[in-house]
Every structure is written in structure tokens, then in C-alpha cells.
Amino acid sequence: MTTFWRRIFRSAFSGFKRNGWLSLVAVFIMSQALLIISIFASINLVIGASINAINERIDVAVFFKETVKEEQALALRTKVMTWEGVNEVVYVSPQEALDKFLNENRNRSAIRDVIPAEENFLPASLEVKVADPYVIEQVIDRILKSEDAALISETSLQDNQQLIARLRDVGSFIQRTSLILAGVFVVIALLIIFNTIRITIFTRRDEIEIMKLVGATDWYIRWPFIVEGMLYGVIATLLTLLLLYLGYLAFVRPMVESYVISTVNSPIFSWGFLIFLAIMQLVIGLGVGGFSSYLATKKHLNV
Amino acid sequence: MPRGVKFLEMIVFDKVTKHYGTHKALDNVSFSIAPQEFVILVGPSGAGKSTLIKLLLCEEKPTFGNITIDGKDIHLLKEKYIPYYRRQIGVVFQDFKLLRGKTVFENVAFALEVSGKPDDQIKKEVTKILDLVGLKEKADNFPGELSGGEKQRVAIARALVFNPKFLIADEPTGNLDPQNSWEIAKLLLKINELGTTVLLATHNRDIVDAVHKRVISLDKGKLMRDRKRSKYA
């Protein structure tokens, strides 16, 4: 069995070398496809992270009437916390609200001067955060329709609604578009790769025919081509990683150095993402290379 | 079954008919070949010689009738056993079918590699067989550097390296000059004397007359004549 695999690998490597130009073309096209896929994966990750960050900031405040006691407010908080889609509910007491307000306006003495020190005019409130901005209206709606509605004076939903709607639209539009574009590019790339590998195999169909006639089994003929296809994938992965690194040096690092963007807290500049990209490229490269070769040999094996 | 086919017995064509669409490439052909026999297959282009060889190699299946070796129908072989069956038949073609990217040695060794033999044994056997066909000195040359006759001898060496009991030569002299053709014919006779059954398809009249062996004539798919020690008719 080891003799078998040794011969398969030797044959694959010599095939790769002897068909130098076609091998090179196949590798370049494959790394181009991997590059496109990697770039789209990065874009999607960045957009996803940004949308998450925005979602986390979307919250709605529910203001209580002045007569409401703290226990009643905390009871409502406990209840709302158990609802599906609700991430966090923070109770803000009138004192906390005042502290926060004063802190935010500490440099504006004009505002501070008109605030009476002993009398707190701010109501208590609940700040509701949700996992998905789409459910925020439902959550507020549910509060206003429950028996606790009597406790509520008003919500900030009206103010936030326009902003929320716009963010939702932009976020989902960008993600949808990039997904569709990535899909189209991937399909095009796969077709080109498949065709390139088919051409390399087509130029060697007489070789396949001769192998069959001297009594080679189908798999003995097929494996070198599959290994060769996978070899394209491995080399294309290395090339793509190199290109990504060069791209980073050329475009991203100058921006980082001039503080246009920050690499801190950005998920695409982590080792984890780099390893993910490398593994994804390798898996796609091996899969596409091997499978294309398998399909392309299938036709010529019917001697 | 596959390793059961040993070519020690008769190869029997029993009422073999092959249609390609409406065209009858072979029409009700029956004959048999004994072990260690030398049989020449003659006939003009389109007579059915190539079809007959394709059927023998299990590249095609007959439309009617069957071909048996050792009393076993070769077309009942399972697909996966066909490679093993083919390793017992040496085949030589008019266009040599050598791999351009491999040396003479590699072209012959390649056939043995396919069967999974160890390297040292391959080296020994290939050297021996290249000696037999008289190409020992050209072992490291590529096919492009050889004459037509030499190429055909490489092809014969490749066909013989399995030590087959049966050798099929399909127009082996078609691309060769008379001198080289005669060299190839002599080589085939020598191989036959060493105990291999030979089926030679040709329309080279000189060769047929000089070899002076059994001749089967085909025309338009039909078997016209089957004569022992015959001349081209």
C-alpha cells in the first residue's frame, strides 16, 4: 500500500512540474478565488461586528410616573428580564439619573446653575437592551399592554425609532449585498477553476487512455490527478496568505499608522481570524482542487 | 474469476455480432485461437479488425454472441476486475501509444508500477525485456528521440513486461518502412516461439506472406476465410 501511495504522489508531483504553465494558471486562478472569498469574509466580519456594536447601543428607556415606588419598578425589571430577546434591563433611580446628567454636563455651568440641588426633577427609568433591534418595538409594546402600563409615563421609543429603522436598513442591505456578491464571485471562480483543471487533464487524456490499456485501475489513474488538484489548493492557499499580507502592508498598515482606523478591538486583526482564514482557504482549495480533478477525470476514464 | 482467466485454453468467438447504431461492424463471427498459436487478422479498413480487438480488450461489449476464454465469458467480468484481466494481455498499437514525457525505461516500468510490483523487481524485469527487444542502450532516451521501429519495440517491450500469455498487435507496422516492419514481424515470431499466443492485425501483404501463419480474413464485418499457413488473399 505504501508503494501505491508513493507512486501516486510521485506521479502527481511530476505531473505538476511537467505541466508547468497550466499548473501555474490553475494556482493563480484558485488563489484569486480564495482572495475574493477571504476579502468578503473579512468585510462580512467587519460589518457584522459594527452592526453588533450598534445593536448594543440601541436601547430604549421606559420612564416611570413619579408616584411609582422602587419595588414596583424593580418587579417590572425582573419580569421583563425573563422575556425572550431581552438582553439587559437596567434600573436607573432618579438619583442615578441626576448624577449621570450632572456628570455629562459637568462642563456646562449654565445648565448646572439652573438645577435645584435639593429637588430631583428626573424620573426613575428602566433601560431596556435587546439582542436584536427588530424586537425592541415588541418589547416596549408588551410592557405598555401589560397590567404595569399604569406605572409608565412615557418611553423614548419615538425618539429612537427613526435612527433604529435606518440602522437596520443599512446594516441588512450591506450584509445582503456582500453575501450575494460573494456568492456570485465564488460560483464564477469555481467554474473557472473547474475548467482550468479540466483543460490540464484534457491535454493528458492520451496518458489516461494508455494507463487504462496497460491495466491500471481507475483509482490508480485518478489519484495522481486528485493529489495534483489538491496541490494547486495548497500552493494557492500559501500564495493567497502572502497576497493578503502584502495587501495589509500596502493598504491597511499606513491607515493604522496614521490613525485612520484602529486595530485594537477589531476582530479581523486577530490571530484567530487569520487562522480561520488560512484553514478556510486550505479546505476550499483542497476541496475544489480535488473534486474538480475527480469530476474531470471521470469523463476520460470511460475507455 | 479475473485471475481465473489464464489463456491456457482456447479463445473462442461464438457468433459475435457488434452493431454501432445500424452499422454492423462485426456480423456473426465465429472462430477460436489455440494456446501459443500465431494468428494473423487481415482485411481492408472498416472490415472489423479494430472492433474485434476492442471486444477482446473489454473496451466494448458484443451486441450478440460471446467471447470466452477458458470457457468463461469475458464480458461477464465485473467492471473492477477488467484492469486485472487487461494485465494478462499485451497490446501493441499502430501509433505506439507511448508516454512522451517518460523515458523508454519509464514507459515500460510504468506498466509494472500499475500492478504494484516492488521497484527492484521492476528494474530487473524491465532491463531483461529491453534486452530482448534490443533497446538496452536506449533505456534513458525519450520516445521523441527514437525511430518508428524503435518506438514500436518499446511498445512491444511494454506489452511483454507482464509476461502475458496473449499478445495483440493492432497494425504494428502501419507507420513503419519495410525494413523496420520486417524487424517487428520477426520479433513477434520470436515472442510466439517463447510461448505467447499472438494475434496480429495487419494489411501489410509482405508481412503476411513472409510470416506464413494462419490467416483469418474479415470483410465488411464478416469472416471470409480462415486458412492455416496461408498467404494474403
Side-chain angles (χ1 to χ4, degrees):
Chain A
M1 210 58 196
T2 48
T3 311
F4 176 83
W5 285 109
R6 192 163 47 77
R7 281 174 187 161
I8 295 291
F9 273 89
R10 199 177 57 197
S11 169
F13 279 98
S14 80
F16 185 86
K17 265 193 309 202
R18 282 178 188 161
N19 294 279
W21 273 110
L22 274 175
S23 305
L24 218 61
V25 169
V27 165
F28 274 126
I29 289 172
M30 198 182 276
S31 34
Q32 183 204 322
L34 291 178
L35 203 61
I36 291 169
I37 294 170
S38 303
I39 288 171
F40 274 106
S42 309
I43 290 176
N44 240 313
L45 187 75
V46 170
I47 294 173
S50 314
I51 289 179
N52 269 345
I54 292 166
N55 282 350
E56 269 167 30
R57 274 174 221 161
I58 293 176
D59 57 4
V60 173
V62 178
F63 297 101
F64 290 102
K65 288 177 182 161
E66 273 171 51
T67 52
V68 173
K69 294 197 181 75
E70 191 168 329
E71 300 85 72
Q72 288 173 297
L74 286 173
L76 179 62
R77 171 179 177 266
T78 317
K79 198 163 88 182
V80 173
M81 288 246 286
T82 63
W83 291 356
E84 202 181 330
V86 176
N87 262 7
E88 205 183 355
V89 184
V90 180
Y91 171 72
V92 182
S93 68
Q95 188 55 47
E96 281 163 354
L98 182 64
D99 290 347
K100 199 173 152 198
F101 180 78
L102 291 176
N103 192 34
E104 277 168 8
N105 296 292
R106 61 184 176 276
N107 296 326
R108 297 182 190 157
S109 50
I111 295 177
R112 295 197 61 164
D113 288 345
V114 299
I115 294 171
E118 65 282 357
E119 200 183 335
N120 188 354
F121 62 97
L122 289 171
S125 64
L126 286 183
E127 283 175 1
V128 181
K129 288 187 179 179
V130 289
D132 182 348
Y134 289 83
V135 302
I136 202 151
E137 278 168 61
Q138 292 162 31
V139 172
I140 299 304
D141 211 39
R142 206 168 152 190
I143 294 175
L144 292 178
K145 280 188 180 140
S146 69
E147 65 268 28
D148 300 309
L151 308 176
I152 312 296
S153 67
E154 60 176 328
T155 70
S156 65
L157 187 62
Q158 292 302 320
D159 309 339
N160 289 349
Q161 212 152 32
Q162 255 187 329
L163 177 71
I164 293 168
R166 191 173 300 163
L167 284 177
R168 276 178 201 165
D169 289 349
V170 171
S172 66
F173 172 76
I174 295 175
Q175 263 190 332
R176 226 177 323 132
T177 315
S178 79
L179 215 67
I180 291 169
L181 274 179
V184 169
F185 275 115
V186 166
V187 169
I188 292 172
L190 289 186
L191 288 176
I192 295 174
I193 292 165
F194 177 64
N195 247 347
T196 310
I197 290 180
R198 238 181 40 176
I199 291 167
T200 68
I201 290 175
F202 181 76
T203 60
R204 288 154 73 184
R205 67 196 180 284
D206 47 340
E207 201 174 319
I208 292 179
E209 188 196 345
I210 295 166
M211 287 170 96
K212 278 217 80 138
L213 288 170
V214 299
T217 58
D218 284 0
W219 280 105
Y220 187 88
I221 299 170
R222 186 177 274 156
W223 268 118
F225 287 104
I226 294 179
V227 171
E228 205 179 315
M230 292 167 110
L231 198 62
Y232 297 155
V234 173
I235 297 175
T237 298
L238 295 176
L239 189 65
T240 308
L241 288 173
L242 181 74
L243 288 176
L244 280 177
Y245 180 65
L246 291 179
Y248 169 79
L249 286 188
F251 301 112
V252 182
R253 212 168 63 172
M255 290 204 280
V256 173
E257 279 167 358
S258 55
Y259 301 104
V260 176
I261 54 171
S262 162
T263 56
V264 186
N265 294 329
S266 180
I268 62 165
F269 298 110
S270 64
W271 279 108
F273 184 65
L274 187 71
I275 291 166
F276 164 77
L277 270 190
I279 290 174
M280 181 192 74
Q281 288 170 6
L282 196 64
V283 168
I284 293 177
L286 288 178
V288 170
F291 189 65
S292 299
S293 303
Y294 169 80
L295 279 186
T297 46
K298 213 174 159 74
K299 192 181 149 211
H300 297 290
L301 279 174
N302 297 325
V303 172
Chain B
M1 169 91 190
R3 284 153 236 215
V5 179
K6 285 284 197 287
F7 292 99
L8 297 173
E9 301 289 326
M10 296 282 230
I11 300 164
V12 181
F13 277 66
D14 186 20
K15 296 186 188 121
V16 174
T17 298
K18 176 70 185 175
H19 292 186
Y20 290 108
T22 55
H23 171 66
K24 276 187 182 176
L26 280 181
D27 189 4
N28 206 20
V29 171
S30 298
F31 67 92
S32 57
I33 301 172
Q36 303 187 16
E37 204 175 353
F38 195 114
V39 179
I40 305 171
L41 199 58
V42 298
S45 297
K49 301 192 298 286
S50 294
T51 304
L52 196 146
I53 286 167
K54 278 185 180 156
L55 290 175
L56 260 176
L57 288 172
C58 277
E59 282 185 58
E60 309 263 4
K61 282 187 192 300
T63 315
F64 302 111
N66 47 50
I67 301 168
T68 55
I69 294 166
D70 247 354
K72 288 163 187 163
D73 189 336
I74 56 170
H75 292 99
L76 295 180
L77 277 175
K78 280 187 186 155
E79 184 100 21
K80 63 171 176 172
Y81 290 132
I82 289 175
Y84 301 96
Y85 164 74
R86 284 187 183 148
R87 285 177 205 171
Q88 299 183 71
I89 307 176
V91 197
V92 179
F93 300 93
Q94 177 174 0
D95 57 354
F96 321 125
K97 292 199 194 294
L98 299 176
L99 296 171
R100 272 164 292 143
K102 289 184 193 284
T103 64
V104 168
F105 183 92
E106 286 168 342
N107 260 290
V108 180
F110 166 73
L112 285 177
E113 285 176 6
V114 158
S115 68
K117 287 206 173 165
D119 287 345
D120 50 344
Q121 198 183 337
I122 290 177
K123 194 166 172 17
K124 218 169 71 188
E125 286 179 23
V126 173
T127 311
K128 200 177 82 188
I129 212 84
L130 285 179
D131 198 20
L132 176 77
V133 299
L135 281 177
K136 216 165 136 188
E137 291 77 32
K138 303 260 178 176
D140 294 326
N141 288 80
F142 286 90
E145 301 162 355
L146 303 178
S147 73
E150 286 169 331
K151 279 186 204 163
Q152 195 56 287
R153 279 190 276 159
V154 178
I156 291 173
R158 183 183 62 196
L160 288 179
V161 80
F162 277 120
N163 213 0
K165 289 282 173 288
F166 186 33
L167 180 72
I168 299 173
D170 187 5
E171 302 276 5
T173 60
N175 287 347
L176 304 179
D177 58 53
Q179 177 62 32
N180 271 311
S181 297
W182 178 232
E183 293 291 329
I184 295 297
K186 277 201 293 192
L187 186 56
L188 291 176
L189 281 170
K190 182 169 151 197
I191 290 158
N192 179 239
E193 274 164 32
L194 292 171
T196 304
T197 312
V198 174
L199 177 67
L200 167 64
T202 184
H203 45 226
N204 185 325
R205 181 183 295 265
D206 297 336
I207 297 283
V208 178
D209 293 347
V211 168
H212 203 57
K213 294 278 187 185
R214 178 182 169 193
V215 176
I216 294 174
S217 314
L218 288 177
D219 192 19
K220 290 178 186 141
K222 287 196 164 76
L223 196 150
M224 308 304 284
R225 273 176 295 275
D226 183 355
R227 290 180 186 155
K228 293 213 171 240
R229 299 214 159 266
S230 180
K231 298 207 168 199
Y232 197 96

